Each structure stands twice: as structure tokens, then as C-alpha cells.
């Protein structure tokens, strides 16, 4: 009777070890997934800050200059389009990220045209509110860059963990997440025409 207890005990011990090992793998994958979600939230926060500042910038420019309505309208429309694109970081696809990136690129492009066009208005360039907003926007663009970089670092850690063997044997419900990539044409300077 005691002979069969030893093999059964070994089998139960092996099953327990494998179970605890797989639980550890899943818990770590969950931590990495949550880190990606957090970093995506930071990206969205940085973009939201920029969108909030754009409203103030447009109002300041409107009040201080007899300004071309087309440029202001383009900035307002790009901002509205950018805020309408939302992403669930737990189910993000490369297509969703590309749409988000394209909408944000539209904001960047129209904002660049606005800021370059402002150069024609010396009273606006000297306006303290405008200068402060311009500095805030520059700071926000740096925050966006930092947030996107940290998001990509977090995705790299997550993907590396869930895709490596043997982790991927236990993590079929955890899919590879896409990286935040530069928008098409971002390697070329923005051309501003008057």
C-alpha cells in the first residue's frame, strides 16, 4: 500500500509546482499589461493637455489679431477630430493606433501652421499670454514625446514577456500589443504655406 503513495506524492508535487509556476507567469503578465495600460493613460493625458491648451491659444490669437479664419478653423477641426478617436489599451490594434496617430498628426500640422502664421503679427508675438501658451505647448509636446517613449518601452517589456517560451504556453489570452509609431511623413519637415 505504501509503494503507490510515493509516485502519487511525486505527481501531486509536480502538479503543484507547475500550477504555482503558471500562476506566477500569469500574474507577471498581468502586471506588465497593467503597466502598458498606465503608460497609455499617460499618453492620452499628455494629448489632452495639448488639446486643452489649443482652445486657450486659439482664443488668445483671435483676440489679439485680425487673423485668417481658415487657419483657426483648421486647428479647431483637427482638435475635434483628435479628441473623437479613443482607444482601449487592453484591446489596442495597430489600426486603432494608426488612426489615433493620424488624428494627432493633424493637430500637430495645423498647430505648426498656426504658430508660423502668427509670426506676421508683431503685437501678438509680444503678448504675454500668447508667449506663455506657446511655451506651455512646447513643454506639452515634450511631455507627449516622453509619454509615447515610455509607452513603447512598456509595450516592449510586455511583448517580450508574453511572447517568449515557455510563457506563451500559459498566456494564450495575452496578445502582442502594437507600438506607437511615427505617422507617415513625420521624417520630413512640416511645410507651411501662406
Amino acid at each position: 500500500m505504501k509503494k503507490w503513495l510515493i509516485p502519487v506524492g511525486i505527481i501531486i508535487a509536480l502538479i503543484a509546482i507547475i500550477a504555482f509556476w503558471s500562476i506566477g507567469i500569469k500574474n507577471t503578465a498581468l502586471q506588465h499589461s497593467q503597466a502598458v495600460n498606465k503608460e497609455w493613460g499617460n499618453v492620452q493625458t499628455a494629448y489632452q493637455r495639448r488639446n486643452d491648451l489649443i482652445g486657450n491659444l486659439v482664443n488668445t490669437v483671435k483676440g489679439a489679431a485680425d487673423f485668417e479664419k481658415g487657419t483657426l478653423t483648421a486647428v479647431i477641426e483637427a482638435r475635434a477630430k483628435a479628441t473623437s478617436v479613443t482607444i482601449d489599451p487592453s484591446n489596442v490594434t495597430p489600426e486603432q493606433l494608426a488612426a489615433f496617430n493620424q488624428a494627432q498628426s493633424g493637430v500637430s500640422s495645423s498647430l505648426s501652421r498656426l504658430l508660423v502664421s502668427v509670426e506676421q503679427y508683431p503685437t501678438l508675438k509680444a503678448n504675454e499670454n500668447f508667449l506663455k501658451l506657446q511655451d506651455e505647448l512646447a513643454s506639452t509636446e515634450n511631455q507627449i514625446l516622453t509619454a509615447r517613449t515610455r509607452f513603447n518601452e512598456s509595450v516592449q517589456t510586455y511583448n517580450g514577456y508574453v511572447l517568449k517560451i515557455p510563457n506563451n504556453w500559459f498566456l494564450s489570452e495575452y496578445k502582442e500589443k502594437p507600438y506607437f509609431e511615427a505617422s507617415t511623413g513625420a521624417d520630413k519637415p512640416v511645410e507651411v504655406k501662406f
Side-chain angles (χ1 to χ4, degrees):
M1 189 175 243
K2 290 184 178 183
K3 286 184 178 182
W4 63 271
L5 284 177
I6 293 173
V8 170
I10 291 172
I11 291 172
I12 291 173
L14 284 175
I15 290 172
I17 289 170
I18 291 171
F20 285 118
W21 181 52
S22 70
I23 288 170
I25 288 173
K26 288 187 181 221
N27 284 340
T28 303
L30 178 64
Q31 288 173 339
H32 290 308
S33 179
Q34 290 301 309
V36 170
N37 293 349
K38 177 188 143 249
E39 293 302 336
W40 181 250
N42 292 342
V43 169
Q44 289 181 310
T45 300
Y47 278 118
Q48 183 61 50
R49 182 172 190 261
R50 178 175 73 176
N51 289 332
D52 293 344
L53 287 171
I54 287 172
N56 294 334
L57 180 68
V58 167
N59 288 334
T60 301
V61 171
K62 268 187 198 175
D66 178 20
F67 204 73
E68 179 186 329
K69 281 191 174 191
T71 304
L72 288 174
T73 302
V75 171
I76 293 167
E77 287 173 358
R79 176 182 173 228
K81 184 177 179 185
T83 57
S84 69
V85 178
T86 57
I87 292 179
D88 175 11
S90 60
N91 297 319
V92 66
T93 64
E95 295 79 22
Q96 290 173 326
L97 207 52
F100 180 84
N101 199 18
Q102 184 177 9
Q104 295 301 331
S105 293
V107 174
S108 296
S109 176
S110 61
L111 195 54
S112 294
R113 285 192 302 275
L114 173 67
L115 292 175
V116 169
S117 298
V118 161
E119 294 295 319
Q120 298 176 7
Y121 296 89
T123 57
L124 183 57
K125 287 193 307 186
N127 181 313
E128 210 174 297
N129 289 336
F130 176 76
L131 293 175
K132 183 178 179 200
L133 284 167
Q134 198 172 15
D135 286 345
E136 293 257 352
L137 280 169
S139 170
T140 299
E141 292 300 323
N142 287 332
Q143 288 176 2
I144 290 170
L145 173 64
T146 300
R148 288 189 307 209
T149 301
R150 288 181 180 159
F151 172 76
N152 281 347
E153 289 168 354
S154 184
V155 168
Q156 178 187 15
T157 301
Y158 168 84
N159 286 346
Y161 186 80
V162 300
L163 296 175
K164 73 178 177 181
I165 295 174
N167 295 356
N168 62 356
W169 299 342
F170 299 98
L171 300 172
S172 60
E173 70 273 18
Y174 289 90
K175 305 295 181 211
E176 181 177 9
K177 295 185 189 255
Y179 289 95
F180 200 106
E181 297 179 0
S183 52
T184 307
D187 55 335
K188 298 177 180 87
V190 176
E191 184 178 331
V192 180
K193 295 180 183 176
F194 295 102

